[in-house]
Amino acid sequence: MKPRVLKLLEYDKIRDQLAAKASSSLGREIASHLEPSTDPEEVRSLIEETDEALNVLRLKGHLPFGGITDVRPPLKRAQVGGVLSAKELMAVADTIRGSRIIKHFIEEQIEDGAALPILGSHAEMLEPAGEVEREIRGCIDDQGYVMDSASDALRSIRSQLRSFDGRIKDKLESIVRSPNTQKMLSEAIVTIRNNRHVVPVKQEYRQAFGGIVHDQSASGATFFIEPQAIVELNNRLNETRLKEEQEVDRILTELSRRLAEVAETVRNDVDRLAVIDFIFAKARLAETMKATKPALSHEGTFHLKKARHPLIPLTQVVPIDVALENGTKALVITGPNTGGKTVTLKTVGLLTLMAQSGLHLPVYEGSVVNVFEHVFADIGDEQSIEQSLSTFSSHMKNIIAILEEVNDRSLVLFDELGAGTDPQEGAALSISILDEVRNRGACLIATTHYSELKAYAYEREGVINASVEFDVATLSPTYRLLMGIPGRSNAFEISKRLGLDERIIEQARSLISSDTAKVDDMIASLERHRLEAERANAEAARLKQEWEKKAQLLDQELAKWEREKDQLRKEAEREAKVKLAEAKEEAESIIKKLREMQTEANRVKEHELIDAKSRLDHALDALQSETSARPHSYSQKKALEFEPGQEVKVTTFGQKGHIIERLSDKEYLVQVGVMKMNIAADSLKPVKEEQQVKPVVNVRTQTGTVRTELDLRGERYEEAMERLDKYLDAALLAGYPSVSIIHGKGTGALRKGVQTRLSKHPRIKSIRLGGMNEGGHGVTVVEFK
């Protein structure tokens, strides 16, 4: 890309913002030299790595990049045999530690399921020199001071230093506190001059005090003298200090030598860390700009949705929708000055450069950008006094340079094309330039004031008009870009609102050409229709929002009703079960009492007992039918359907019958025994449904509902005995002289239990096993009295 274009589109300001987001000088260096790429695959990779870093920031909020600095200069010195200072070595150790933390951090995100192929590859290449780091930290503390523990010799030397220093201070303290010397001192203190311990002595006592003079005050009234008594101790102290320096130098030399052995590995890690820092700087910039990841196109098309110029504050910028797609390669923007035409050009150009640099864009999701080989721009007034160039000449010089290089992988941005010269010639020249650029296959956006160019898009295939909106009511631009609508002159409307005489305005209208008037009328009509469409869309959006809100409330009410319905059903089931249990218990109690009364006084006849029991069973069946009907009414959408001839049970009075005819959706003609009657559909149940719950055998008085045999095969013993008792009652009530009980042969346990039960029944005359034609030992034949 041309440096002039980068500067013209203010790309350098984006680089500055990006550099400010880096955590170290390493990332800032890469950001400050960032250039757009023209390789589509490289651009795709650059955008993907930004997206990966942004995902990490969304999950973790930060990257642990502390302690990492650019240690490449000291590494180079170590490689050529230089000795690094303690602070330089500690900076290297901190950077090695930082690389280890970064590597672990990224690998941890990958283990947790994050898809980070690019960051993962960078982390994989990091090879922290942990052993050298430990050696450095074992000798140097965090403040860059070589510790006593760095070597045994250093520990011994520093122990001697502390001993000499203590003895010197004790000696001096005794001197300054002595009454004989206090009068000779300017102050009773101990200080240091030329790395020697001294005391301040008054000038008149210089000879009397004795010792070595190291300094004198500015006034000459005080001499800083090293007392003779500590001269030897000071000499030994300085000798020990020299040994300390030599030992520290030896330690630093050894550490520098060890670092030189791994310098290349550390340097590679630093380079890798610089890239990682730069990638996360791009992600932080995306967060600040509220930017999104754009899709890439190679077809020479783009579509920026709600695009914002990144250098205009969020509170001031007006988002625009701008696109070149579906065969459109050129966009001509017209409209008033200060209306946003130039900002539109710069927004498209700058966002294109940002995308090709791997940056996310301040646009809505789903925006598409194209990767261009060249971005050319001729924007602004570049009049040059030094070169004696007019505005027109300056623009033409730039356009000529553009035409020399433009191709089908170029984006060309022309601002006020043809301005600065005769309008008629300028318009003609502009049309010719636009045609030339289009013929080269380039994408083109141009702004203009010429009315002739408003019709350009209607006469050329692949060209579309656009305009920046102007509010005549407020006499100010709205900065909105209107795609597909050319701008129109607002001079007459503005003049009228400002108070210009209507007569003058009408005379001016008569002077413009009819073609121009028609174009303006067409544009005005388009604007009216657009505003009407926008109002209609806004109303539709409002109604849709209201409908969605109401639908949501209805869904909530329906869910609430369903919950209440289920609760009521469950409560009804619980109540019904309780009533059923109570009814059964009461029925058993009544039957027990009746049997006791019959046994004791023989005052109740057997048929009366059976009839009473039958009525109780009928009540139980009715109650059970009510129990099953209650939840059925909640769960069924419609009544069950039956076919003619189908066997059913009439739940209202517990009888079985057969369907004769369907009278309606809610009623059937049913034959029960010898009777035919109309029965409601919700009072009928299929017999097979009844059999699934294994009810006891029916005990009705009508002979048509009680068979002359009872099959107990496969039944559990308790259930078989209960069914046997009820069947015998029903058979007696029906007036049968004899019945057959089918119990099967099996082990004989059920047969024995049946015969024992039968032998105790007061109304049974005799029992016997069935004959050869009656089922043999698998059947017991019962005769009643």
Side-chain angles (χ1 to χ4, degrees), residues 79-97:
Q79 282 184 298
V80 296
V83 178
L84 305 187
S85 68
K87 288 187 176 181
E88 288 176 323
L89 287 166
M90 200 62 205
V92 173
D94 286 342
T95 300
I96 294 174
R97 176 177 178 272

Side-chain angles (χ1 to χ4, degrees), residues 432-583:
S432 180
I433 292 171
L434 292 178
D435 283 340
E436 177 64 21
V437 173
R438 288 179 53 250
N439 291 336
R440 302 277 188 94
C443 287
L444 167 67
I445 302 179
T447 68
T448 182
H449 278 300
Y450 294 135
S451 59
E452 289 86 350
L453 291 182
K454 296 176 183 178
Y456 183 80
Y458 297 105
E459 300 171 351
R460 304 293 197 282
E461 186 177 352
V463 184
I464 187 173
N465 272 320
S467 60
V468 288
E469 189 178 51
F470 188 85
D471 190 343
V472 179
T474 61
L475 302 181
S476 61
T478 66
Y479 302 105
R480 294 177 59 198
L481 182 68
L482 308 176
M483 295 292 293
I485 300 176
R488 68 187 183 97
S489 173
N490 297 289
F492 294 154
E493 287 80 359
I494 295 173
S495 300
K496 183 177 180 180
R497 288 190 60 82
L498 291 176
L500 186 63
D501 193 310
E502 182 71 25
R503 179 178 54 81
I504 298 175
I505 295 175
E506 288 304 317
Q507 182 180 0
R509 288 184 190 276
S510 66
L511 294 177
I512 65 174
S513 67
S514 59
D515 290 341
T516 302
K518 288 179 181 178
V519 170
D520 282 345
D521 289 342
M522 177 192 68
I523 294 172
S525 175
L526 287 172
E527 287 188 354
R528 283 195 303 273
H529 286 99
R530 178 186 60 80
L531 291 174
E532 290 174 2
E534 286 183 354
R535 283 193 292 268
N537 285 337
E539 179 65 14
R542 183 186 66 79
L543 293 174
K544 180 182 178 184
Q545 188 176 8
E546 289 181 1
W547 177 84
E548 289 177 346
K549 186 176 181 181
K550 290 179 180 179
Q552 186 178 7
L553 290 174
L554 285 174
D555 288 341
Q556 293 173 355
E557 289 296 325
L558 180 60
K560 181 181 177 182
W561 180 82
E562 288 287 350
R563 290 194 298 269
E564 291 176 352
K565 181 189 73 173
D566 290 341
Q567 186 176 356
L568 289 172
R569 178 178 59 79
K570 291 177 181 178
E571 289 178 359
E573 287 178 351
R574 283 195 296 269
E575 292 176 3
K577 287 179 180 178
V578 170
K579 289 182 180 179
L580 182 60
E582 291 174 352

Side-chain angles (χ1 to χ4, degrees), residues 708-744:
T708 58
E709 62 182 25
L710 172 64
D711 190 351
L712 297 177
R713 288 175 295 181
E715 296 281 352
R716 293 172 54 206
Y717 181 79
E718 293 80 4
E719 294 176 353
M721 296 303 103
E722 184 179 357
R723 290 188 63 199
L724 177 61
D725 289 341
K726 289 181 180 281
Y727 175 74
L728 293 174
D729 292 340
L732 283 167
L733 194 60
Y736 291 155
S738 66
V739 293
S740 299
I741 310 300
I742 303 172
H743 43 65

Side-chain angles (χ1 to χ4, degrees), residues 3 41 84 193 249 271 339 351 423 455 544 580 600 620 646 651 675 684 738 776:
E41 288 306 315
L84 305 187
R193 290 291 188 277
D249 286 343
D271 292 340
L351 295 191
K544 180 182 178 184
L580 182 60
E600 293 175 1
L620 290 176
Q646 183 177 352
T651 59
M675 299 178 62
L684 299 175
S738 66

Side-chain angles (χ1 to χ4, degrees), residues 639-739:
L640 294 173
E641 295 183 357
F642 303 95
E643 300 293 334
Q646 183 177 352
E647 188 176 4
V648 295
K649 178 178 179 180
V650 183
T651 59
T652 52
F653 53 89
Q655 297 294 329
K656 290 182 181 179
H658 293 83
I659 299 294
I660 296 176
E661 181 182 357
R662 178 178 179 177
L663 302 177
S664 67
D665 291 341
K666 298 182 179 179
E667 192 173 29
Y668 289 84
L669 178 62
V670 182
Q671 180 168 357
V672 181
V674 296
M675 299 178 62
K676 295 181 180 179
M677 58 187 73
N678 296 345
I679 306 294
D682 56 6
S683 297
L684 299 175
K685 288 175 58 179
V687 169
K688 63 178 182 180
E689 182 177 325
E690 178 187 0
Q691 291 173 345
Q692 287 174 357
V693 296
K694 294 186 179 179
V696 296
V697 70
N698 206 329
V699 291
R700 301 293 164 253
T701 57
Q702 287 84 349
T703 60
T705 62
V706 181
R707 296 185 179 185
T708 58
E709 62 182 25
L710 172 64
D711 190 351
L712 297 177
R713 288 175 295 181
E715 296 281 352
R716 293 172 54 206
Y717 181 79
E718 293 80 4
E719 294 176 353
M721 296 303 103
E722 184 179 357
R723 290 188 63 199
L724 177 61
D725 289 341
K726 289 181 180 281
Y727 175 74
L728 293 174
D729 292 340
L732 283 167
L733 194 60
Y736 291 155
S738 66
V739 293

